[in-house]
Amino acid sequence: MGVIIINPYSQISGASPSPPSGLYSEDNVGNGTSNFGDSKVTLTDSIYGVQHDRALDGKPIEVRAGFTSTFEFNGQMTGTATSISWTVNTIDNFAGLVTGITPNTGTAINFAPVFSINPSGNPGDMAIFEVDFTAVNSAGSGNVVFDVVLILP
């Protein structure tokens, strides 16, 4: 007669997750890829209206004094996140060009900060911001930073 031994300490586990990676943004119509520099946003402002396929590549984006500019980020990644964070960080707000950002943080996969432009702004005023997108799970985190440069022509 044989003996069967069952180890009560054995564990059955599935594959462990990988950290989120390849973070990027698509615009509202699906443009954008995870290749470096190929993220896109939808920009809505009083100068050109709704603009899809807008890159945030460090080139200045024209704004109008006294109006707002809305940047719609649609976060994408490889893997699954258990938490998401978006943060707008001010690098330089020369002459107070931007008077407010609402919201300046977020926890959903999509994020749409509205930048309010100073009605007393002068031609040549600039502002530089970084929008930080971070995704986290039990295996780690992934991150990407977008540069937003605004200028009053």
Side-chain angles (χ1 to χ4, degrees):
M1 177 174 194
V3 176
I4 299 175
I5 299 174
I6 299 175
N7 181 353
Y9 300 104
S10 69
Q11 295 180 354
I12 300 173
S13 64
S16 62
S18 296
S21 63
L23 278 67
Y24 69 100
S25 175
E26 288 183 349
D27 66 11
N28 289 348
V29 295
N31 297 314
T33 68
S34 62
N35 294 328
F36 180 76
D38 286 341
S39 284
K40 305 293 183 190
V41 298
T42 295
L43 170 61
T44 303
D45 64 20
S46 61
I47 299 174
Y48 302 107
V50 177
Q51 306 161 63
H52 299 294
D53 204 28
R54 191 65 194 245
L56 295 176
D57 53 8
K59 294 178 184 170
I61 295 170
E62 292 182 359
V63 294
R64 183 176 286 171
F67 290 87
T68 60
S69 295
T70 302
F71 293 83
E72 295 180 62
F73 295 85
N74 296 292
Q76 303 292 322
M77 72 189 80
T78 300
T80 302
T82 54
S83 71
I84 301 284
S85 69
W86 293 88
T87 306
V88 180
N89 298 302
T90 302
I91 303 305
D92 186 7
N93 190 12
F94 176 74
L97 177 63
V98 174
T99 58
I101 305 165
T102 306
N104 65 352
T105 62
T107 57
I109 193 69
N110 299 330
F111 182 59
V114 178
F115 292 75
S116 297
I117 308 304
N118 189 337
S120 301
N122 294 302
D125 288 354
M126 286 185 70
I128 303 170
F129 300 90
E130 289 182 345
V131 178
D132 183 290
F133 172 34
T134 301
V136 178
N137 68 18
S138 62
S141 64
N143 174 266
V144 65
V145 176
F146 305 101
D147 296 322
V148 177
V149 180
L150 305 176
I151 188 167
L152 193 61

